[in-house]
């Protein structure tokens, strides 16, 4: 039994684009190189052949992974959501104890980008925020220690 792969529409398009790139562009090129290298004779010392076969295995593993992620995808469109409760795909503005603002968007595991403020819905910070609402105080446990924040704004964009 597989877990749902919650994902935003933008994240889904990114996965589809990577799948397409691998299957329609990169894999055919590598197959062509391997076929050419194999036609050159002795494969045991043919670096093009050996590297190409290794790269094909890597591509096939990634394609298999992407296929599974796309099959299990449960698309959640933030533009169709609203409210003051923190749910998947919400963009949450927090104020810490020093009054500094922190903004996170809760996204799927395949979309996370901490530098851009996108955190996985399975992360400890997101788990602490999910289900809370505007004005709630939330205790976040981070590697650097525990921190208390207040939810200042919840948006779905």
């Amino acid at each position: 039994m597989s877990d749902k792969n919650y994902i935003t529409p933008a994240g889904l398009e990114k996965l589809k684009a990577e799948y397409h790139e691998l299957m329609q562009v990169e894999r055919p090129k590598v197959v062509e190189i391997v076929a050419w290298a194999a036609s050159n004779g002795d494969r045991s010392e043919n670096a093009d052949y050996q590297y190409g076969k290794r790269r094909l295995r890597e591509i096939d593993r990634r394609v298999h992974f992407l296929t599974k992620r796309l099959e299990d995808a449960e698309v959640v469109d933030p533009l169709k959501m609203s409210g003051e409760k923190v749910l998947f795909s919400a963009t949450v503005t927090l104020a810490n104890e020093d009054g500094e603002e922190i903004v996170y968007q809760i996204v799927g595991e395949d979309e996370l980008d901490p530098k851009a403020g996108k955190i996985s819905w399975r992360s400890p910070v997101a788990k602490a925020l999910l289900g809370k609402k505007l004005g709630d105080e939330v205790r976040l446990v981070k590697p650097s220690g525990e921190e208390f924040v207040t939810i200042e704004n919840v948006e779905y964009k």
Side-chain angles (χ1 to χ4, degrees), residues 17 21 38 43 51 59 61-62 68 74-75 78 93 103 107 133 136 140-141 149 151 153-154:
E21 175 72 19
R43 297 174 186 171
Y51 172 76
I59 291 169
R61 272 194 301 274
R62 184 66 182 167
K68 187 77 177 126
E74 183 82 24
V75 180
T93 305
V103 179
V107 296
K133 56 187 184 301
D136 284 354
L140 302 179
V141 180
V149 295
I151 299 175
N153 192 20
V154 178

Side-chain angles (χ1 to χ4, degrees), residues 51 53-63:
Y51 172 76
K53 291 296 282 185
R54 185 177 323 122
R55 183 65 188 133
L56 275 176
R57 285 191 299 274
E58 291 168 359
I59 291 169
D60 289 345
R61 272 194 301 274
R62 184 66 182 167
V63 165

Side-chain angles (χ1 to χ4, degrees), residues 4-8 11 69 74 88-89 105-113 118-122:
K4 285 291 183 193
N5 176 25
Y6 292 107
I7 192 165
T8 64
R69 296 303 284 174
E74 183 82 24
F88 179 86
S89 77
Q105 181 183 14
I106 301 172
V107 296
E109 295 174 287
D110 300 310
E111 307 174 81
L112 72 101
D113 183 359
K118 294 183 176 197
I119 60 173
S120 167
W121 66 279
R122 292 188 177 204

Side-chain angles (χ1 to χ4, degrees), residues 23-42:
M23 289 302 290
Q24 303 300 319
V25 179
E26 189 170 353
R27 193 173 195 289
K29 284 181 186 175
V30 175
V31 166
E32 188 177 314
I33 290 169
V34 169
W36 169 81
S39 71
N40 288 332
D42 185 11

